[in-house]
Amino acid sequence: MISQDDELEVAGIARDGVEAIKLTVELDPDVVTMDIHMPEMDGLSALEYIMKKSPRPVVMLSALVKKGAAPTLRALELGAVDFIAKPTSSDVGERVREDVLSKIKAAAHSKAREIWEQTRRRSLPRK
């Protein structure tokens, strides 16, 4: 879905949270989309690491992500800019596609990365 949009490019695909962290550092994508539920290291742990070491807009996905759900709230607390409920087979369609792509594009155009970098620089010990 993402790679079919002319405005977006898939930089890499990770199989688990550990690989997501590695690829985020190596590929330096503008936006990361990540599932909350992944093997080896879950998405929330990977999100926390990414936001501490290499902050950028992250859009979380999950079959369980619903407004007000505990994992969703935790992802937002950790710095995710948005969330997407994974579509079920009955949800697949143009509306879902447009929603997913618009959230990724909004994250890409957000000032979140600049804000995180400024905050991180201010919190570093002064010499």
Side-chain angles (χ1 to χ4, degrees):
M1 181 186 310
I2 295 169
S3 62
Q4 293 174 348
D5 188 289
D6 293 338
E7 297 176 44
L8 300 174
E9 177 184 347
V10 176
I13 299 172
R15 292 178 301 256
D16 57 53
V18 173
E19 190 175 18
I21 291 169
K22 180 178 178 254
L23 289 176
T24 298
V25 171
E26 287 176 7
L27 301 174
D28 193 30
D30 295 325
V31 176
V32 172
T33 58
M34 186 166 30
D35 198 329
I36 286 179
H37 302 285
M38 295 189 293
E40 194 160 341
M41 175 188 278
D42 66 84
L44 292 176
S45 298
L47 171 64
E48 185 171 17
Y49 186 89
I50 288 168
M51 297 312 292
K52 285 180 181 173
K53 301 295 183 181
S54 186
R56 68 202 57 244
V58 177
V59 179
M60 298 299 292
L61 298 98
S62 178
L64 303 175
V65 173
K66 301 291 180 198
K67 289 183 182 177
T72 301
L73 294 176
R74 183 66 182 140
L76 294 171
E77 286 172 359
L78 292 171
V81 296
D82 210 338
F83 62 90
I84 300 169
K86 275 188 182 176
T88 62
S89 58
S90 63
D91 287 339
V92 176
E94 191 61 27
R95 183 187 56 77
V96 171
R97 181 183 179 281
E98 287 176 13
D99 185 45
V100 169
L101 297 176
S102 69
K103 287 183 180 197
I104 294 170
K105 290 174 185 179
H109 292 102
S110 75
K111 301 285 186 194
R113 192 171 188 174
E114 292 173 31
I115 293 167
W116 290 313
E117 287 297 330
Q118 290 172 2
T119 302
R120 193 168 82 180
R121 279 195 299 273
R122 277 190 234 126
S123 66
L124 292 174
R126 297 184 192 263
K127 293 181 182 180

